[in-house]
Amino acid sequence: MADLFDVIVIGGGPGGYVAAIRCAQLGLSTACIDEQKDSEGNPSLGGTCLNVGCIPSKALLDSSEQYHRLQHQFGAHGISADNVSIDVSKMQARKHEIVKNLTSGIGVLFKANQITAIHGFGRLMADKHVAVLDPETGKLKQTISARNIILAPGSIPVELPGIPFDDEFVVDSTGALAFDKVPQRLGVIGAGVIGLELGSVWSRLGSKVVLLEAMDKFLATVDHQISREAARQFKKQGLDIRLGAMVKKVTSSPNGLEISYEQKRKQHKLEVDRVVVAVGRKPATDGLLAADCGVGTDARGFIEVDERCLTSEDGIWAIGDAVRGPMLAHKSSEEGVAVAERIAGGVGHVDFNTVPWVIYTSPEIAWVGKTENECKEAGIPIKTGSFPFAATGRAKAMEDTVGMVKMVAHAETDRRSA
Ligand code: FAD
Ligand code: NAD
């Protein structure tokens, strides 16, 4: 007979590991299946976020920002340094240590909460059984079952047709986090969150970065006043953002790689040394659901759930990047906690109006609630106010006066716009 748990979680990212810990804290016997490995080939909990997402990107953003400030901002404080240089392998080693420390911490938390961690690929079968397969060979390792199952498989990068990743020259975000030297010329396809964060990292370290964005509008989901100001600042920083650029192909050229793209009906070519493709992520649901498991996906591969994160099968839940809503670590975790509470008989709720966003460029772009444009489109009467950091004493003292704070409130009640 298959081992029986109260809860099985498939996926050990910020959705899955947080759900597993909360279930265990609520007294439920819990197993968590995850297939992620670190760069040395060892099982590594924490999902995309800890291994190849939020944490390593923020480590590199910080290193590159320190380097940039030392070169360009410290002078105003009267601080100078000769022969400033960057040791990329040391910077990468620091990133690696931070990741290792945090991912191994999840293992410690699992032990402390008596969660059964299983390394393997989980497949949901009929009757709340889960097959655990060897991630390399696909061979069945064991079958377990539970009263409740939480699917938290996360997401993977979208590959552009005809522009396959080769893990060296044409890479996804994982590749762009692992460059062992600063590429002289870097092409980034997609000027979204990842393109801007990782483009900023390598630009600050010396790359000539060109971002090719298909949309005519820059950062369309961000408040328009803020995205206009951000575009101005990024240009000043040397990021070359080309909007309305439709990439056709990437070929090798005698001097590196050639990106062919169309902009305003004209054909262009761009020579670069490396290409980062950052055009969005898609749910990691391939092979997750057996044909007779009763749970389905929509046309784009997202697992279908209701507002409680319940699938069409009683007792089978899905959370995080693999379901509707923003692909953010804290959103996944919130859903994980809410589902755990519900399984334990309590109340769980995620208020999507209060999920914050942060793009970790310099300056950072952070917001919560509806933007001015969203309110206008929804016909909500609003009043707005903004204040530039350039007029703020603290910002002046920090020599960090770029940007502003903006408030959007309901015109009659003064409540926040959400
Ligand atoms: P994941 O973190 O993707 O975890 C899913 C886990 O399940 C993975 O370990 C995967 O290997 C495993 N898995 C998948 N299928 C199976 C299976 N069938 N069996 C077993 N295991 C399986 N978000 C933020 O909020 N802030 C940030 O600063 C931020 N920065 C990011 C930077 C980058 C470069 C990237 C790529 C993403 C970033 N994100 C950030 C997004 C964030 O990483 C995701 O929203 C978050 O990781 C989603 O959590 P999750 O648990 O749903 O999925
Ligand atoms: P994104 O949706 O933020 O940006 C993708 C960009 O690529 C968009 O601007 C889109 O118009 C553009 N694009 C799409 N197809 C294109 C094409 N063929 N040619 C040129 N441009 C094209 O996606 P992302 O940057 O890949 O990030 C994926 C997700 O990861 C984000 O939505 C976000 O939820 C999450 N993430 C969050 C953070 C954070 O919270 N700080 C950081 C990184 C990633």
Side-chain angles (χ1 to χ4, degrees):
M1 236 196 38
D3 283 346
L4 177 68
F5 293 88
D6 290 328
V7 183
I8 296 172
V9 183
I10 302 182
Y17 83 72
V18 169
I21 291 172
R22 191 68 194 130
C23 285
Q25 286 170 341
L26 293 167
L28 302 162
S29 66
T30 307
C32 180
I33 307 166
D34 187 82
E35 63 164 345
Q36 185 93 30
K37 284 185 178 174
D38 64 15
S39 49
E40 282 121 38
N42 299 311
S44 186
L45 289 164
T48 303
C49 181
L50 268 60
N51 287 283
V52 289
C54 329
I55 299 304
S57 62
K58 265 77 258 178
L60 296 190
L61 276 157
D62 205 65
S63 297
S64 61
E65 191 169 356
Q66 306 280 11
Y67 179 64
H68 192 264
R69 283 170 73 91
L70 180 54
Q71 284 182 313
H72 301 282
Q73 276 167 281
F74 280 18
H77 294 270
I79 302 167
S80 58
D82 294 330
N83 302 323
V84 176
S85 64
I86 179 83
D87 180 340
V88 174
S89 60
K90 206 163 176 182
M91 179 185 78
Q92 292 288 15
R94 184 187 92 96
K95 177 201 81 178
H96 184 70
E97 272 314 298
I98 295 166
V99 167
K100 206 169 160 188
N101 185 276
L102 289 171
T103 52
S104 58
I106 310 281
V108 174
L109 287 173
F110 272 18
K111 273 205 185 99
N113 286 285
Q114 294 173 334
I115 295 164
T116 305
I118 303 173
H119 180 70
F121 182 89
R123 175 170 298 153
L124 180 67
M125 313 299 286
D127 303 324
K128 293 195 189 138
H129 280 62
V130 175
V132 183
L133 312 175
D134 182 295
E136 267 79 52
T137 64
K139 277 199 180 136
L140 182 68
K141 285 168 73 175
Q142 67 184 115
T143 301
I144 55 179
S145 71
R147 292 181 184 88
N148 281 277
I149 294 170
I150 305 176
L151 305 171
S155 63
I156 52 172
V158 169
E159 202 162 10
L160 283 175
I163 310 177
F165 299 128
D166 64 17
D167 294 338
E168 193 178 354
F169 296 105
V170 180
V171 299
D172 59 10
S173 52
T174 302
L177 286 167
F179 289 153
D180 55 4
K181 57 177 191 288
V182 180
Q184 273 189 358
R185 302 162 302 173
L186 181 63
V188 180
I189 306 179
V193 192
I194 292 180
L196 288 170
E197 288 189 357
L198 296 182
S200 294
V201 166
W202 295 107
S203 167
R204 290 169 189 165
L205 298 177
S207 283
K208 173 74 202 124
V209 177
V210 179
L211 294 109
L212 299 171
E213 165 59 47
M215 302 248 292
D216 291 323
K217 187 138 193 46
F218 178 58
L219 287 180
T221 56
V222 173
D223 183 282
H224 294 179
Q225 185 184 355
I226 302 289
S227 61
R228 270 197 307 274
E229 177 62 12
R232 221 165 58 85
Q233 294 305 333
F234 297 156
K235 194 172 171 195
K236 268 196 192 168
Q237 290 166 16
L239 290 178
D240 179 349
I241 302 169
R242 303 183 189 173
L243 300 177
M246 299 304 296
V247 174
K248 303 287 175 197
K249 59 181 178 181
V250 177
T251 47
S252 16
S253 73
N255 297 319
L257 297 164
E258 189 174 82
I259 307 179
S260 307
Y261 68 95
E262 188 181 305
Q263 194 186 29
K264 293 188 182 147
R265 300 219 183 102
K266 284 199 181 130
Q267 307 304 320
H268 300 266
K269 291 193 187 307
L270 174 71
E271 280 225 334
V272 293
D273 301 304
R274 306 270 170 130
V275 175
V276 179
V277 181
V279 295
R281 295 177 62 83
K282 60 178 185 181
T285 43
D286 267 7
L288 171 73
L289 306 168
D292 59 352
C293 73
V295 175
T297 60
D298 67 14
R300 290 159 58 213
F302 287 94
I303 303 166
E304 290 179 304
V305 290
D306 65 12
E307 71 290 351
R308 296 164 297 172
C309 290
L310 187 63
T311 68
S312 49
E313 285 288 297
D314 200 32
I316 302 183
W317 312 76
I319 59 171
D321 278 12
V323 302
R324 81 285 172 269
M327 289 183 167
L328 295 172
H330 42 285
K331 176 265 193 183
S332 301
S333 300
E334 274 298 289
E335 287 182 333
V337 170
V339 166
E341 298 284 348
R342 282 184 185 277
I343 291 173
V347 181
H349 174 64
V350 179
D351 181 354
F352 280 91
N353 285 317
T354 60
V355 177
W357 278 84
V358 187
I359 305 177
Y360 293 84
T361 44
S362 180
E364 292 176 352
I365 304 171
W367 74 100
V368 65
K370 285 194 177 63
T371 60
E372 179 177 356
N373 13 300
E374 281 174 330
C375 290
K376 283 184 176 159
E377 273 163 27
I380 302 169
I382 48 160
K383 52 187 173 183
T384 67
S386 60
F387 193 84
F389 287 133
T392 312
R394 174 79 166 126
K396 279 191 180 298
M398 292 169 71
E399 200 61 34
D400 204 358
T401 52
V402 169
M404 69 183 91
V405 175
K406 177 168 178 176
M407 298 287 288
V408 180
H410 195 283
E412 286 133 30
T413 63
D414 223 16
R415 287 173 67 97
R416 69 179 168 80
S417 53

